[in-house]
Amino acid sequence: MKLARLGNMGHEVPVLVTDDGYFDLRGVVDDIDAQALTPQGLAKIRASVGTLPVLPDAAELRIGAPVTRPSAILCIGMNYAAHAAESGSAPPERPILFLKTPNTIGGPNDGVNIPKASTKTDWEVELGVVIGTRALYLESPADSAAHIAGYLTANDLSEREFQLEISGGQWSKGKSSPGFSPLGPWLVTSDEVDSSSLRVRSWVNGEPRQDSSTADLIFDVDYIIWNLSQFLALEPGDVILTGTPAGVALSGRFPYLKAGDVVDIEIEGLGHQRQVFGQA
Ligand code: ZN
């Protein structure tokens, strides 16, 4: 299933997206939130297919992030070897975790402001994983799949000076400006996604930047969930960003973003985003 949230910020309507259109889920779930993303919530949605009312004028509505109010956005750093190299780092021996604040979440096509005092705002297309069942102390990576609700396209927007030069070694200051986590346009449930080799791409002002595959992840989705679960509890609705491939401005090969720039990102099967940048 493809799930989305349509409407103005803070007033989004949960919908099921099919080839026949957009169907209103308000009679079935409160929102696409932690409760809706549990196996029970998704089963309820699945059982409602065929009985749902069409949402009128859905194509005219703003597309919101397909999930709301996660307890955490957990991000993996340096998870593609070529990106680690362009960042001047060796590939990590174990997953590197940093956090973004959940209030960074925006819709896939919402405008984003470059932060005040920023000169190094950068893009990062990433496969996002949404948790469906609490995960803590999983015994092996093979146990991870049962804890995944679905997948989505994410942009892990980053300010490199804040992240790397004036952060004291913790990255989150450069990752948590308002609007820095565009998600969507949809969440695709895990039964319909093979996350092992999805094409992952980005463009700036129409020029190609990143073009890679999740097949090149150093730590795959199952390994990440198993590993994180040794240290913390992953809750239903939580979003994991799995890392970005080579082709970001930090490499020195491309200029950082400025007001007026347009960033496009896309993950095969998970949809396309476009952000126009302004200035805070
Ligand atoms: Zn990232």
Side-chain angles (χ1 to χ4, degrees):
M1 297 188 293
K2 259 185 206 167
L3 305 176
R5 299 170 62 254
L6 304 180
N8 292 334
M9 178 92 70
H11 302 279
E12 293 93 341
V13 173
V15 297
L16 174 74
V17 185
T18 77
D19 293 341
D20 298 323
Y22 299 89
F23 295 90
D24 190 339
L25 284 169
R26 280 177 291 186
V28 184
V29 292
D30 293 335
D31 205 339
I32 310 298
D33 56 10
Q35 207 175 346
L37 291 164
T38 62
Q40 297 76 15
L42 292 175
K44 223 167 124 184
I45 294 172
R46 213 175 288 280
S48 74
V49 174
T51 68
L52 298 166
V54 168
L55 183 70
D57 302 320
E60 314 298 316
L61 297 173
R62 168 184 170 272
I63 305 173
V67 296
T68 187
R69 296 185 293 274
S71 73
I73 307 174
L74 303 129
C75 306
I76 306 302
M78 307 290 180
N79 200 16
Y80 289 82
H83 172 64
E86 76 177 0
S87 308
S89 302
E93 287 174 24
R94 46 187 77 81
I96 297 169
L97 173 68
F98 64 91
L99 293 161
K100 300 188 90 157
T101 55
N103 68 352
T104 55
I105 289 176
N109 306 319
D110 290 349
V112 178
N113 278 338
I114 291 173
K116 278 191 181 175
S118 163
T119 56
K120 294 185 177 177
T121 295
D122 206 347
W123 58 89
E124 292 194 348
V125 59
E126 304 200 10
L127 173 67
V129 183
V130 182
I131 296 296
T133 307
R134 191 169 198 259
L136 180 63
Y137 304 131
L138 300 189
E139 287 193 5
S140 83
D143 295 335
S144 295
H147 295 265
I148 301 171
Y151 296 89
L152 45 74
T153 301
N155 195 350
D156 175 19
L157 289 164
S158 305
E159 212 297 335
R160 302 304 186 190
E161 185 186 12
F162 301 175
Q163 177 193 347
L164 299 168
E165 297 169 37
I166 55 173
S167 64
Q170 298 284 326
W171 293 357
S172 294
K173 276 185 183 174
K175 296 283 189 172
S176 297
S177 297
F180 260 28
S181 303
L183 303 181
W186 324 293
L187 176 147
V188 183
T189 49
S190 57
D191 56 310
E192 296 179 9
V193 179
D194 173 0
S195 71
S196 66
S197 69
L198 300 173
R199 194 175 182 187
V200 176
R201 288 186 287 172
S202 66
W203 300 259
V204 177
N205 300 325
E207 295 173 9
R209 292 291 186 261
Q210 297 168 283
D211 187 354
S212 187
S213 164
T214 57
D216 293 333
L217 283 168
I218 297 170
F219 304 108
D220 67 14
V221 169
D222 288 351
Y223 189 93
I224 290 168
I225 292 174
W226 164 77
N227 179 265
L228 294 184
S229 83
Q230 307 309 306
F231 306 100
L232 51 90
L234 301 167
E235 301 289 352
D238 283 358
V239 177
I240 301 171
L241 306 187
T242 55
T244 204
V248 296
L250 178 63
S251 67
R253 292 191 289 141
F254 308 108
Y256 286 106
L257 296 173
K258 59 185 187 313
D261 282 346
V262 179
V263 172
D264 287 272
I265 68 168
E266 186 172 292
I267 298 184
E268 184 182 356
L270 301 179
H272 189 104
Q273 304 186 354
R274 171 169 293 177
Q275 292 104 35
V276 179
F277 282 75
Q279 182 64 54

